[in-house]
Amino acid sequence: MTSTVNRAGPRLLLWAAPDDIAEKDLREELAALLRAAPEDGGLAAVADTWPPAAGEGPVRGALVAAGRDEALAALGGTGPGLYAPRHPDAARPVTLLLAGQGAQQPGMASGLYGVEPAFTEAMDAYFEVHGGDGASLRDTWLAARPGPGLDDIALAQPLLFAVGHAVGRMLLGWGVRPGALLGHSVGEVAAATLAGVFRLDEAARVMAERIEQLGATPPGGMLAVAASADQVRPYVSGPLAIGAVNGPRQSMLAGPDPELLLAERALRRDGFTVRRARATTAFHSPAVADAAALAEPTLRRIGPRAPALRIVSAYTAGELGAEQARSARFWAMQPAEPVLFGPALDALLGSGDQLLIDGGPAQSLAAIARRHRAVTEGGSSVGALLPARRKGGGDDVRAALSGAARLWSEGQALDPAAVHHLG
């Protein structure tokens, strides 16, 4: 699909200056231009004449707004949308977070399709190699129909993978090379594809087999519990397992439906807050282990490669080394193994301050990361490229522009010309 230029929605304005005084002067110049512009269409008129990045220098600012009055409120400090300069000794490394099952939304990220070239190209490339009917999958995605069908493995898994990979390609297309990638569940496969462990067609083959094999297992799911893994462990029996550890008091129980329902009742009875995750398969539990193992021969034939980008694995809670990345068994068994996203995040943030950018729908991983001590104490921070609550395609564009503004004001190597067409 050919990409078009967004000119009807929110706009992004960037600037840079040699020092704080000059940066303030640029903001005042922009405010004067906006005040002189008409209320209707004034922001677009100013944005069309504003350079992709006005000025030069290390002190950067950015603005995201959908109208003149909104832009003036942001510049005046009475509304959101202004991204003030940050003055670090050096820009913090960017870590791209990629979501897994449960984060899916109707039409997730589809507002970027046909608007952002790298994203559009990556989505089209996936639909061409998708193991099923790629055109039908694309049509279902673009229809953005809510309903339980989206939680089924046959829709959620390929779309979460495709969107995560495409958002990553978008970020790379902007000139931002992440210092690390950290994926949750199927998000780690997207991370591996971005890092060159798999080619896109190889990853699509892995996804197709995974969907077929795991889709044939008995109905199951996952249960989010506001408790530590140690607190949840007494409720684990039979085919149940602690499927994910997302934080100190964020655990997930996984397994077949009958046993999961009994555990849910027991946890509620004992005063725990629980919520069913949006999954119809018993991911990350012994119930899918035999099915997951069937992918190993295909993965051996593919021959995964060492990553060209750093991957922090949510299965080992550490950096993914070349030997492990080449292991067919490691990738085959991921759907049955527990996700250690919380410990992986601990390891990542323990290595130094980071700018964490959530590239997944619903900002599910950003919500987890914002609770981390390294973030609450201010050394690391969290941004996102997709909206937390999506009402339409304009929300996708605005979130992407806001993410770009954050990256720019942080001093990242963002190419202004690469994002200028978005807004």
Side-chain angles (χ1 to χ4, degrees):
M1 180 176 182
T2 302
S3 296
T4 59
V5 177
N6 171 51
R7 286 294 177 262
R11 306 299 292 268
L12 169 68
L13 293 95
L14 306 174
W15 58 88
D19 53 44
D20 288 332
I21 294 174
E23 190 272 332
K24 183 180 178 183
D25 288 343
L26 274 172
R27 270 188 280 152
E28 290 177 352
E29 177 187 341
L30 176 57
L33 290 170
L34 288 166
R35 282 192 291 269
E39 181 178 349
D40 186 17
L43 174 63
V46 171
D48 285 343
T49 58
W50 191 260
E56 295 181 0
V59 183
R60 297 174 170 188
L63 173 72
V64 177
R68 188 202 68 168
D69 290 349
E70 182 185 346
L72 284 170
L75 288 168
T78 61
L82 177 65
Y83 292 80
R86 182 175 179 272
H87 300 290
D89 294 331
R92 294 174 291 188
V94 171
T95 293
L96 180 63
L97 308 178
L98 296 169
Q101 184 81 30
Q104 64 271 12
Q105 293 177 321
M108 51 189 172
S110 60
L112 299 175
Y113 188 65
V115 177
E116 211 297 321
F119 178 88
T120 303
E121 182 180 349
M123 291 299 295
D124 282 342
Y126 180 76
F127 293 135
E128 287 179 9
V129 296
H130 174 59
D133 183 348
S136 176
L137 182 66
R138 180 188 58 213
D139 292 345
T140 300
W141 172 56
L142 294 176
R145 286 188 290 268
L150 183 59
D151 301 337
D152 186 80
I153 188 173
L155 283 180
Q157 289 282 296
L159 287 177
L160 283 166
F161 168 83
V163 166
H165 173 258
V167 169
R169 296 305 310 174
M170 177 179 76
L171 185 65
L172 290 164
W174 291 353
V176 178
R177 183 180 173 87
L181 306 168
L182 172 54
H184 193 293
S185 191
V186 71
E188 188 154 315
V189 183
T193 307
L194 290 167
V197 176
F198 301 109
R199 295 195 313 263
L200 183 61
D201 63 311
E202 295 168 341
R205 204 183 323 161
V206 171
M207 292 300 304
E209 286 204 14
R210 178 179 291 188
I211 290 165
E212 180 181 359
Q213 291 153 358
L214 270 66
T217 60
M222 302 185 75
L223 189 68
V225 188
S228 69
D230 286 342
Q231 289 175 304
V232 173
R233 197 162 282 114
Y235 300 88
V236 175
S237 62
L240 296 181
I242 295 175
V245 179
N246 291 329
R249 287 187 51 80
Q250 294 172 279
S251 304
M252 300 196 80
L253 197 59
D257 276 342
E259 292 83 357
L260 198 62
L261 180 59
L262 290 174
E264 179 178 1
R265 289 172 178 165
L267 284 159
R268 290 187 186 278
R269 180 197 65 217
D270 293 343
F272 289 100
T273 300
V274 299
R275 175 182 55 83
R276 284 298 292 255
R278 296 178 56 195
T280 58
T281 300
F283 292 110
H284 310 300
S285 78
V288 299
D290 289 344
L294 296 174
E296 192 170 351
T298 295
L299 281 155
R300 280 203 203 97
R301 287 191 293 272
I302 287 173
R305 305 159 191 86
L309 293 173
R310 180 190 179 205
I311 297 175
V312 177
S313 174
Y315 290 91
T316 66
E319 185 166 346
L320 183 65
E323 183 177 354
Q324 197 150 37
R326 295 189 184 106
S327 168
R329 182 72 176 176
F330 172 75
W331 296 105
M333 297 310 297
Q334 280 197 356
E337 294 295 321
V339 177
L340 306 176
F341 182 81
L345 192 61
D346 289 341
L348 172 71
L349 295 176
S351 68
D353 293 340
Q354 304 281 326
L355 174 58
L356 304 170
I357 297 294
D358 191 342
Q363 297 185 18
S364 59
L365 300 184
I368 295 170
R370 288 187 180 109
R371 299 187 184 103
H372 197 282
R373 183 174 178 178
V375 174
T376 59
E377 292 182 352
S380 295
S381 60
V382 182
L385 294 171
L386 293 177
R389 295 176 182 82
R390 184 183 188 278
K391 295 180 180 178
D395 295 331
D396 297 328
V397 173
R398 184 173 192 122
L401 291 175
S402 297
R406 180 68 175 273
L407 290 161
W408 172 260
S409 64
E410 283 261 348
Q412 299 295 331
L414 182 85
D415 178 5
V419 298
H420 189 59
H421 58 273
L422 257 183

